[in-house]
Amino acid sequence: EAGVAQSPRYKIIEKRQSVAFWCNPISGHATLYWYQQILGQGPKLLIQFQNNGVVDDSQLPKDRFSAERLKGVDSTLKIQPAKLEDSAVYLCASSSIQGWGYTFGSGTRLTVV
Amino acid sequence: QQPVQSPQAVILREGEDAVINCSSSKALYSVHWYRQKHGEAPVFLMILLKGGEQKGHEKISASFNEKKQQSSLYLTASQLSYSGTYFCGTGNQAGTALIFGKGTTLSVSS
């Protein structure tokens, strides 16, 4: 089966600019996650979707981050405006049953300068 | 609450064994283990559920002690391909997203 697709692979922006990341999960996977991974650390959850509904966005910095999963398939994560500390790899993952093994995408490496 | 992994780093020669531990201050429903190689996405290794049995295949296995809220990953007769950073991810309830530890870096040399 095709894996989790993410784009772009890399992005460099200046602080205060906006950026958007796209994710297409494995077909049929109802649960989709966005994680932020800062260099040398474990992934940190930003938001969890079940179909097109939000299950957990308690750690999403809502003053600058937003995410949507229209139609319960692909998803977009946006940052506006970006800060230097947002430099990280943004990982999208999906799972077929809530709580089972996650399949991660290759991630988007964001550098804010 | 982020789970705590130990050790932070392990250096092995091919054929040696290693144990990586993961502990939580909260009751756990599930523990996942993932391996991430440099510049790549984490790859799922296995899941252990509350009330489940020890899991594993061939040379990689794991245990889950619900009472102690701990899990251990056992790597036997390590191979070069085992090198990478190992993360445990813990779930407190069915359906909640995983909280990942800071990782344990494993380096295997010939």
Side-chain angles (χ1 to χ4, degrees), chain A residues 21-106:
Chain A
F21 313 127
W22 175 81
C23 171
N24 193 23
I26 290 175
S27 178
H29 278 196
T31 311
L32 184 148
Y33 313 83
W34 283 101
Y35 280 86
Q36 178 193 58
Q37 186 174 26
I38 292 173
L39 187 64
Q41 298 184 20
K44 175 189 170 185
L45 178 72
L46 292 174
I47 190 166
Q48 175 188 2
F49 291 97
Q50 174 74 8
N51 296 311
N52 61 349
V54 175
V55 176
D56 183 356
D57 63 356
S58 58
Q59 298 185 78
L60 187 73
K62 298 181 185 65
D63 57 335
R64 299 184 300 106
F65 285 65
S66 64
E68 60 183 12
R69 192 185 182 197
L70 301 176
K71 300 181 183 178
V73 182
D74 56 348
S75 176
T76 302
L77 176 70
K78 296 179 181 178
I79 307 175
Q80 182 179 11
K83 293 185 175 181
L84 295 177
E85 59 261 35
D86 297 332
S87 294
V89 176
Y90 291 84
L91 294 165
C92 177
S94 68
S95 64
S96 57
I97 301 173
Q98 282 184 309
W100 289 104
Y102 296 3
T103 301
F104 282 89
S106 297

Side-chain angles (χ1 to χ4, degrees), chain B residues 84-103:
Chain B
T85 301
Y86 289 77
F87 293 99
C88 68
T90 56
N92 301 116
Q93 301 175 38
T96 57
L98 297 178
I99 302 172
F100 287 92
K102 292 185 176 181

